[in-house]
Amino acid sequence: MLRNLCCVLMLLLSSLLQASQNNALPAHLRVALSNDSYPYMFVDEYGNPAGLVVDFWQQVAKQQQIELEFVAVDWPESLQLLAERKVDFHGGLGVTPARARQFLLGQGYLELTSNVFVHRDLSRVTSLADLRPLVVGTVADATHSEILRRLLPGITLKTYPHASALYQAALAGEIQAFTGLDRLPPRYPEFEQLELLFPMYKKVPLQQIQLTFAAAKTNPNLHQALQQAASAVPSGFIDQIERKWLSVATDADSLLIGVSVGNQPFMHVSQSGEVQGFFVDMWRLWSKKTGIKVAFMPAQSDDLLAYLHKSRIDVQMAQMQHPEKMAGLQLAYHLYNLSSSFYFPNSQLIHQLSELAGKKVGIMHTSAYAAELRRNYPDLRWQEYRTLEALIDAAQRKQIAGFFAADLMISKRLSEMNSDSAFSALAEPRFDTAIYSLIRPGNEQLYQQIQQGFAQISLDELIALEQRWLDPAMPAYYRKFREQVPLTVDELDLATQELSVGVMANWPPIEFIASNGEFQGMTADILALLNQRLGARLQAKPYQDWSALMADFEQGKLAAVANMSDLPERHQFAEFSDDYWTLQWVLLGQAQQESVQTVAAMAPKRIAMMQDYQYLHEFVKNYPQHELVPVPSIEHGVDLMVRGDVDFVLDNIVAVGVVLTDPSLINLRVQIPTDLPVEASYFAIHKNYAPLRVLLNKGIKTISDQDRKTIQDKWLNLHIQQGLDRSHLIELILQVVAVAAAVVLVFWVWNYSLRREVNLRRQMEEKMRFMAGHDELTKLANRSLFMERLQSAIHQHARHNELLAVLFMDLDGFKQINDQYGHDVGDELLVQLAQVLKYCVRKTDTVARFGGDEFVLLLTGLVDRDDAAIVAEKILQCLEDSMVLSVCQIRASASIGIAVYPQDGTEAAPLLKVADQLMYQVKQSGKNQYRFSSRKP
């Protein structure tokens, strides 16, 4: 019995060992590949096999520790090599019934799409059925041929021996459509011309193809071993090589954004192949604000969604809200809202949609409202189309009675076709659809970057983009914001709820309870603006104690809190809105105090600061040499300073401005060290009310700089009026009682003093506003103001097709002047140079100092780039004259780089970068001259 059991075990072990040996891959295998099937398998410029299939099998070889020899030949020959057993297996081919009969096919390890590339001039060819009248080119024995014959029986195919011959025939005009995989091969010598005539966005998808391997029928063991080895490749690696080969070429640190083509004026590809449109410019502006480079990949909407799922792109630029199509993806940003209506040819007379019972009506295949239409109008026959051109064409051919389309898009398209008066629209039904940018779920860092980047784009900038791309006569999304923000259905529901916002009752003029018991201050005015523009019901709930407010907020008793710092520990229970206000921290001290350049370099001081400020802890950490004295209020801190107990009071510029309205504090002085921050104000939103963040951000977007200035001026001016009048009235009464004989004189002195002090306060306010946009030394515009003017000028010149120039100038040898004579003399030189530059330009131009000895000029309304050269020559000539300084005479020179819009760039940052680079080229080639780029106008 025991002997029999041992025999059975020996036989079982022998069988397992034999099976293991049968499933092991040989140490060396020969693999057949196509040499011309980019990007899957091809021969690169060095004669080596390359492509996605090659990368896949090299990974298999690495994991299995075997050696592969790739044999790359023309496609028909690669199949013949396997049939004749001259190779061990074929590395990549599509699954077809004929091949399944001839070879042992593995399970698919990659999914690809069979496509027909269509000439760009064939605007009406957008679907499979539209291909029927065409002669379609294809490579002999390719999977595409079998698919086309099955899907379109009777279609005319023209066969070529290899892909290069196919492409040459397309360029020669022999065929206007040809089959291919996902992309055209960049290594093809005339790739640029081929891609221009047969762009990716004109592809008509045929069918998904499972890419697999094949072994000979006589070698099942190898087939099984290959299947096991292929299955062991991690899915993450496949995602990686798909991104590498199937996406557009980008830098490693670039964000790849999918652009859904054919959606003018929002996103499309021009005849020259340039990606354009309103949404495209929004993302370019986002890139400028964040400093993150972007690249664009144009394709059909459905293809892009698939690419996003497979990590071939990082972001889908814009997608209409559609639950099915958005499934498995994350909404990254609410980009826009579009209204859609029913359009019909004017040759018909239609009053209601229900009149079309039994007739065909067109809708876009991406329409979010398609299900609602089918439900509400079951008697209509609904026909889906992939492009707007196809909808319009079908209506003109009377194949459909009319169609639903986005108003702004159809207006633009009909205008381009000179058919504005050919169609009319019904007033009802109308649909508002939200447009979102999409990302893959789980990428919190990218989500936050997208949110924060768009938060930096002002409403004025968005309105300017709308004016550039959209018909001014049509209602537009962002133009409505300052009157009434357009909201989604869910947002409207949230806006109607009464929501409590925690505020402080004792922080004037930011937020406080007035003597009449009303909540007032700058926060109250901000909430009023948000309620007005959002149609919301945000109610302020004042607290005397910050800790009590925080306790209620953490427990969810408050929906939001105003003016809360965004700290990591608060993210457990709160989310934060975009910033809606910024306040500069300043030092308030005695007038005789020496000037403070930086807090870090200042000798140790005693500084008073309100004890509830979050910045208090950061200040102590950053500047340990100073003694910080916590105080309950700014007034208490000022009292300590007047008595000499502290040297300075640290607070925000608005609070300090209110304190200075007290006439008894005329000898105090405001200083703004360069290392004190500008602090942003946010709404903190409890996580129980998370959707409120998006709603508040929309409202915050409507708050303009003018709105902020109006609110700030209101509260500063109010305190000036109230504080000064009462104080001086008391002073006047005392003077009258003491010296009755000098009433007239005292009154005159008092009145003069009043006017003087009010003027001083207002001059201080104006000075602060001026300092925000100007260089303190030269009084020229600073970088921030210059960039704002440059961007505005670019939009204006784009509308009028005019030139502008950016001159980037750097003094030659400025460091030596500083080293020899000292920084004070260097500052004298910079001030005189500022006057020279202002003399050399028109009043309509802008001169700015970027820092050190770098100056930048903006010349607008140029007829020719030679106009910029004239200004540059004038500057260099003026610098030849000696400048008389306090201790010497200096003859300066400068290096100037000149960038011209639009040939050197159509955005502010690229123009500035070109001018900067040209300036450095001048430095390297002898200095004291100017240089343009070599780009032709």
Side-chain angles (χ1 to χ4, degrees), residues 348-369:
Q348 303 181 54
L349 187 61
I350 302 174
H351 299 94
Q352 294 182 350
L353 195 60
S354 56
E355 297 172 14
L356 301 177
K359 295 185 178 179
K360 282 187 178 181
V361 174
I363 51 174
M364 290 290 293
H365 74 295
T366 55
S367 298
Y369 45 80

Side-chain angles (χ1 to χ4, degrees), residues 32-34 73-85 87 90 92-94 99 102-103 140-143 214:
L33 298 173
S34 166
V73 294
D74 288 344
W75 176 252
E77 187 180 346
S78 70
L79 297 175
Q80 190 65 29
L81 286 175
L82 180 60
E84 295 175 357
R85 300 292 304 275
V87 294
H90 196 292
L93 72 173
R99 290 171 184 165
Q102 186 178 7
F103 306 115
D141 296 327
T143 310

Side-chain angles (χ1 to χ4, degrees), residues 649-664:
V649 175
L650 178 64
D651 213 308
N652 67 70
I653 197 166
V654 174
V656 168
V658 172
V659 167
L660 287 177
T661 60
D662 186 341
S664 67

Side-chain angles (χ1 to χ4, degrees), residues 667-701:
N667 291 323
L668 299 186
R669 175 187 178 194
V670 177
Q671 301 204 50
I672 310 179
T674 57
D675 54 350
L676 282 184
V678 174
E679 183 165 320
S681 295
Y682 305 92
F683 284 103
I685 299 97
H686 196 277
K687 290 204 169 180
N688 293 347
Y689 299 87
L692 179 60
R693 184 180 62 82
V694 175
L695 185 68
L696 287 175
N697 284 345
K698 285 188 175 183
I700 290 168
K701 184 74 77 176

Side-chain angles (χ1 to χ4, degrees), residues 831-853:
V831 171
Q832 289 200 27
L833 177 60
Q835 297 305 313
V836 170
L837 296 178
K838 290 170 69 175
Y839 166 75
C840 292
V841 301
R842 302 162 298 177
K843 290 184 178 180
T844 55
D845 299 326
T846 297
V847 181
R849 181 186 176 211
F850 271 26
D853 58 340

